[in-house]
Amino acid sequence: MDNGVKERKVALTKNEAQPALPAAAQPQVSKDGKHVLNSLMSGAFAGAVAKTAVAPLDRTKIIFQVSSNRFSAKEAYRLIYHTYLKDGFFSLWRGNSATMVRVIPYAAIQFCAHEQYKQLLGSYYGFQGKVLTPLPRFLAGSLAGTTATMLTYPLDMVRARMAVTPKEMYSNIIHVFIRISREEGLKTLYRGFFPTILGVIPYAGLSFFTYETLKKLHSDRSGRRHPNPVERLLFGACAGLIGQSASYPLDVVRRRMQTAGVTGHTYGTIVGTMKEIVREEGIVRGLYKGLSMNWVKGPLAVGISFMTFDLTQILLRKLQQQNGIER
């Protein structure tokens, strides 16, 4: 009897010395931390791979967007070829260093934010652990794109300037920041911010919505939980095509506003910029200039980005599981 009392006292003393925690509290914190880190790393890598792959096309599109020259596939090819002859092969990637400085944090934040918003909206709407319904699916993408844009916008401004100017004007990214701040003022770094936000809401929303929807339809029809890499690439390409087509006029407007300081124009407002573009170049040739190139570049970039993100996530999870087993 005395031994039983003593054992209970010892057990009670241990419990008091080590207060009870929820069973999965500590592992869950660690798991959530790994999930966020995986999303950040996968997103950064996905953005870098995708943007580098299409950098020459992206640079060509920006040059046409900010000029009054008529766009055509022939003229785009001629511009790329003359740039190659004049400045060399790697000049086609001019501004890509600024793109990487922007796209790596942008893509990391966007993909990570999307995963977090999916969890928050899933919890709010009662779909925790399940595929979201259409509206929350769209909201998660829009919020992710908006969050990433707000945090990285000046880097996009710098990238646009480097893409449309000769090497003699800006020697590197820091030089762009210094010259813009000194000659045009710090607020210039946020010129074109509002059309960018207005454009990213439908672009990011529709892109993520389309990709997630196609994955769900594929799973329902095929019975396979995960699509293969080629299917992921195709789903991402469809997502990019729909998202960029819907928001393209605002993309043209933001590029005009971003590069106004070096093109001789004085675009002030979104509506004013649109009116001037339409008056000088027309609706289709102005606001949709370069869209045909975007139908090549955009789906390719978004497809590569989504595919790379998913595959990197899968790879990181497998590596972490193997490390856990070995321990």
Side-chain angles (χ1 to χ4, degrees):
M1 191 71 173
D2 292 340
N3 289 339
V5 172
K6 287 179 181 178
E7 285 175 3
R8 283 195 294 273
K9 284 183 178 180
V10 170
L12 182 61
T13 304
K14 285 183 179 180
N15 287 336
E16 289 175 348
Q18 298 177 351
L21 292 172
Q26 192 59 39
Q28 186 63 40
V29 171
S30 178
K31 186 178 178 181
D32 289 346
K34 284 181 181 179
H35 183 71
V36 170
L37 184 60
N38 285 355
S39 296
L40 287 170
M41 290 173 62
S42 301
F45 184 60
V49 172
K51 279 296 185 181
T52 300
V54 300
L57 295 176
D58 207 20
R59 181 176 184 270
T60 303
K61 182 202 73 172
I62 293 173
I63 291 172
F64 275 100
Q65 280 183 328
V66 302
S67 73
S68 57
N69 296 332
R70 185 174 177 179
F71 175 84
S72 69
K74 184 178 179 181
E75 289 300 317
Y77 170 77
R78 184 178 295 173
L79 175 62
I80 292 172
Y81 185 64
H82 279 279
T83 303
Y84 163 70
L85 290 179
K86 182 183 176 184
D87 300 317
F89 178 72
F90 289 106
S91 66
L92 297 173
W93 274 265
R94 174 164 168 72
N96 195 51
S97 57
T99 300
M100 289 299 101
V101 170
R102 171 196 170 256
V103 83
I104 288 174
Y106 178 89
I109 293 168
Q110 181 177 237
F111 277 107
C112 182
H114 182 247
E115 295 296 308
Q116 298 305 308
Y117 284 129
K118 279 200 302 183
Q119 289 185 19
L120 287 171
L121 290 169
S123 177
Y124 180 80
Y125 285 99
F127 295 106
Q128 193 69 45
K130 301 177 183 178
V131 177
L132 296 175
T133 51
L135 179 60
R137 209 178 301 158
F138 177 82
L139 286 174
S142 295
L143 288 168
T146 302
T147 301
T149 299
M150 291 176 68
L151 294 175
T152 62
Y153 186 78
L155 296 170
D156 186 46
M157 171 74 174
V158 168
R159 174 253 186 156
R161 285 292 182 94
M162 289 189 74
V164 301
T165 55
K167 289 185 288 186
E168 297 76 24
M169 187 165 185
Y170 299 118
S171 57
N172 54 50
I173 299 167
I174 296 174
H175 188 211
V176 183
F177 274 107
I178 293 172
R179 280 198 63 174
I180 290 176
S181 302
R182 187 173 65 240
E183 297 174 8
E184 302 173 56
L186 282 172
K187 68 178 183 179
T188 303
L189 293 172
Y190 281 89
R191 183 181 290 161
F193 177 74
F194 289 110
T196 302
I197 291 295
L198 289 177
V200 84
I201 290 171
Y203 168 65
L206 286 170
S207 295
F208 279 104
F209 169 83
T210 303
Y211 185 68
E212 295 288 324
T213 299
L214 289 174
K215 284 204 303 182
K216 182 180 184 301
L217 290 173
H218 170 271
S219 178
D220 292 342
R221 297 285 176 86
S222 68
R224 289 187 287 124
R225 186 178 175 186
H226 299 295
N228 62 43
V230 175
E231 289 168 335
R232 292 179 194 274
L233 181 63
L234 291 174
F235 296 163
C238 290
L241 183 66
I242 293 171
Q244 294 194 343
S245 296
S247 62
Y248 195 78
L250 287 164
D251 190 44
V252 174
V253 169
R254 76 172 173 128
R255 291 303 183 198
R256 293 292 181 97
M257 294 179 75
Q258 285 177 336
T259 58
V262 293
T263 58
H265 288 83
T266 54
Y267 300 117
T269 65
I270 298 171
V271 175
T273 303
M274 279 189 168
K275 285 182 178 179
E276 187 169 339
I277 293 171
V278 172
R279 185 174 63 251
E280 293 179 356
E281 303 165 54
I283 295 175
V284 176
R285 292 180 181 175
L287 293 177
Y288 288 91
K289 181 185 290 183
L291 179 59
S292 57
M293 176 174 282
N294 233 41
W295 283 342
V296 176
K297 177 198 77 76
L300 183 62
V302 177
I304 292 172
S305 181
F306 277 124
M307 179 188 71
T308 304
F309 175 78
D310 279 355
L311 295 180
T312 306
Q313 284 270 77
I314 292 168
L315 177 62
L316 289 173
R317 282 197 292 265
K318 285 182 177 178
L319 289 173
Q320 287 169 354
Q321 287 172 359
Q322 288 176 358
N323 288 337
I325 291 170
E326 287 174 2
R327 286 172 189 170

